[in-house]
Amino acid sequence: MISEKKITVEFYFDYSCPWTYLGFKRLIQTATRTASIIEWKPVNLEIIKEILNKPSQNTPDYVANYRKKDLQDWASYCSLDIKEHKNLDHRVSLKASKGALAAITENNIIEYSAKVFKAFFSDMTDIADSEVLIGIAKQLDMDIDNFRLTIESEKNHDIILKNTNELINKGGYGSPTMVVEGQIFFGNDRMNLVEFAIGQASGKVLVLPGQHNA
């Protein structure tokens, strides 16, 4: 008999990335189906760009147009409302990512993340505004004094930086990134491979749509 064990998926995420919103919802579904544990690791894409010294790229119109269509196709598929933010600076998500640290401690990171993503991409709200985030924390009956301290603390900026460096050291370069037993997967569209890796690591036999020899 093959023994089964609970697998932890390390989830490196940034609230300012629409593809991460998609990946967030799909990872929750994956973890539920496979009885896996998600280890939440908020990062910041602007810091990643600075550390990796990524040059700015001028994307051809035909590529940009396809990406917009692809994003909306995925949004429809996942039943999410995702609007475009032009001239996006990923530093906008830093306070929200700090808030995630409080949400993790209070064991409501899923609910908090869902509300932050919706506020930014569906309601087009400024998630760099402390009062917007505190409003979300109040909806979840979080410890507001602790939450306010968490999002304003420079110490917690260092935790985001630590997570970001950790991701880069593992070979990652963006959000969403999932790590299963040392295997790294980047992007919302890699979720089937994440689920397959969970199955391999846990000893479970998982049959996935489109899998060959299944």
Side-chain angles (χ1 to χ4, degrees):
M1 180 178 179
I2 299 175
S3 62
E4 296 181 357
K5 61 177 181 177
K6 278 189 175 291
I7 301 301
T8 296
V9 181
E10 296 173 273
F11 183 49
Y12 296 89
F13 65 99
D14 184 323
Y15 289 121
S16 66
C17 172
W19 300 100
T20 306
Y21 189 7
L22 296 165
F24 158 77
K25 179 171 182 178
R26 299 185 71 210
L27 182 59
I28 299 300
Q29 295 167 343
T30 293
T32 300
R33 282 194 299 269
T34 60
S36 302
I37 299 166
I38 301 173
E39 184 176 359
W40 303 85
K41 303 261 191 170
V43 299
N44 185 261
L45 287 171
E46 206 65 34
I47 296 175
I48 289 176
K49 284 169 61 178
E50 291 169 2
I51 293 174
L52 295 180
N53 195 24
K54 285 187 175 181
S56 299
Q57 294 180 338
N58 293 320
T59 306
D61 287 344
Y62 65 88
V63 174
N65 290 337
Y66 179 77
R67 285 180 180 172
K68 290 178 183 178
K69 176 188 180 299
D70 194 36
L71 177 62
Q72 291 309 313
D73 287 345
W74 273 108
S76 296
Y77 179 75
C78 293
S79 300
L80 294 173
D81 177 17
I82 298 180
K83 299 182 178 71
E84 181 184 10
H85 285 268
K86 296 182 178 178
N87 303 316
L88 178 63
D89 184 327
H90 294 290
R91 280 182 286 262
V92 71
S93 62
L94 268 173
K95 281 188 180 179
S97 293
K98 292 179 185 178
L101 301 173
I104 291 166
T105 300
E106 296 193 32
N107 199 32
N108 59 6
I109 182 62
I110 294 176
E111 295 83 358
Y112 172 81
S113 295
K115 287 184 178 296
V116 170
F117 277 125
K118 181 179 181 297
F120 192 54
F121 289 109
S122 301
D123 304 334
M124 301 294 278
T125 305
D126 181 10
I127 59 171
D129 185 332
S130 294
E131 295 308 314
V132 168
L133 297 174
I134 288 168
I136 290 173
K138 286 179 178 177
Q139 292 175 41
L140 298 173
D141 293 324
M142 295 177 68
D143 181 335
I144 300 304
D145 289 338
N146 178 66
F147 184 83
R148 190 185 296 274
L149 287 172
T150 300
I151 63 175
E152 299 293 346
S153 171
E154 283 303 311
K155 177 187 74 174
N156 292 322
H157 181 279
D158 291 341
I159 294 175
I160 305 302
L161 177 59
K162 176 179 175 291
N163 287 343
T164 301
N165 277 303
E166 181 181 286
L167 172 61
I168 291 169
N169 290 336
K170 288 180 179 180
Y173 53 87
S175 173
T177 297
M178 290 69 62
V179 179
V180 181
E181 301 281 289
Q183 295 189 68
I184 190 166
F185 303 91
F186 170 64
N188 157 71
D189 56 350
R190 297 298 186 270
M191 213 57 69
N192 278 9
L193 298 180
V194 170
E195 190 159 337
F196 183 64
I198 291 170
Q200 288 181 311
S202 65
K204 297 175 183 177
V205 178
L206 304 177
V207 179
L208 306 178
Q211 182 182 340
H212 292 288
N213 302 320

